[in-house]
Amino acid sequence: ELKVEQNPLFLSMQEGKNYTIYCNYSTTSDRLYWYRQDPGKSLESLFVLLSNGAVKQEGRLMASLDTKARLSTLHITAAVHDLSATYFCAALDDKIIFGKGTRLHILP
Amino acid sequence: GAGVSQSPRYKVAKRGQDVALRCDPISGHVSLFWYQQALGQGPEFLTYFQNEAQLDKSGLPSDRFFAERPEGSVSTLKIQRTQQEDSAVYLCASSPNFDRGHGYTFGSGTRLTVV
């Protein structure tokens, strides 16, 4: 059974700093997803990673995938307050399985 | 429609009451998923439809939970004899094709509170 674990679960950081969220998954998966969720809102798709070594970037966010290590990372560069949200990693079994999420709070 | 629409947005139910949650997927989307998100947790899979066929209901937590999509578009998630542990946000998502790994578009969810 596929399990997805994220760490940290909570992260408070200063604006302008860099940080990385880690996502491990327990069994082979073809695809890895990152979603963003603002309080009371729906899930917004950020990245879909399909292959080993895949790297995708959008603004200050960069996601990467190492299928051999079963590890994905979401790197935040020079954080700004607008990036405060909960970030979910998810992997594909025969359906998408989510981690518990990383609640990111960026202090001005 | 432009996105996945869920109603009601909020629902308060007394314990033991039956509730019905509605999902309007994006027009033409073949696949439809229901997830349950407890407070502070990630979404957990409940069930999956491909058109009108319910292909996977392995995540439904008990026989009090029932989902249908009779015409392959709108779906309803019904919870009978609600319990406090059913309190959660229920998210619906749809996808345009048969590929279960294709990106999902999520609705805003229905927040169910059982008192």
Side-chain angles (χ1 to χ4, degrees), chain B residues 47-100:
Chain B
T47 187
Y48 159 64
F49 289 86
Q50 199 176 91
N51 294 312
E52 69 279 2
Q54 188 176 20
L55 298 188
D56 187 344
K57 54 182 181 179
S58 61
L60 295 176
S62 77
D63 60 7
R64 295 186 296 103
F65 286 71
F66 172 76
E68 60 183 7
R69 193 186 186 197
E71 296 177 0
S73 55
V74 171
S75 177
T76 304
L77 176 67
K78 297 179 179 178
I79 309 172
Q80 297 177 323
R81 305 181 303 282
T82 52
Q83 302 294 316
Q84 281 195 313
E85 61 263 28
D86 300 335
S87 296
V89 175
Y90 291 85
L91 294 165
C92 177
S94 69
S95 176
N97 58 32
F98 297 100
D99 177 0
R100 291 205 218 187

Side-chain angles (χ1 to χ4, degrees), chain A residues 51-65:
Chain A
S51 59
N52 189 42
V55 176
K56 290 194 175 180
Q57 183 161 5
E58 180 74 34
R60 300 174 188 274
L61 301 178
M62 183 174 72
S64 66
L65 178 62

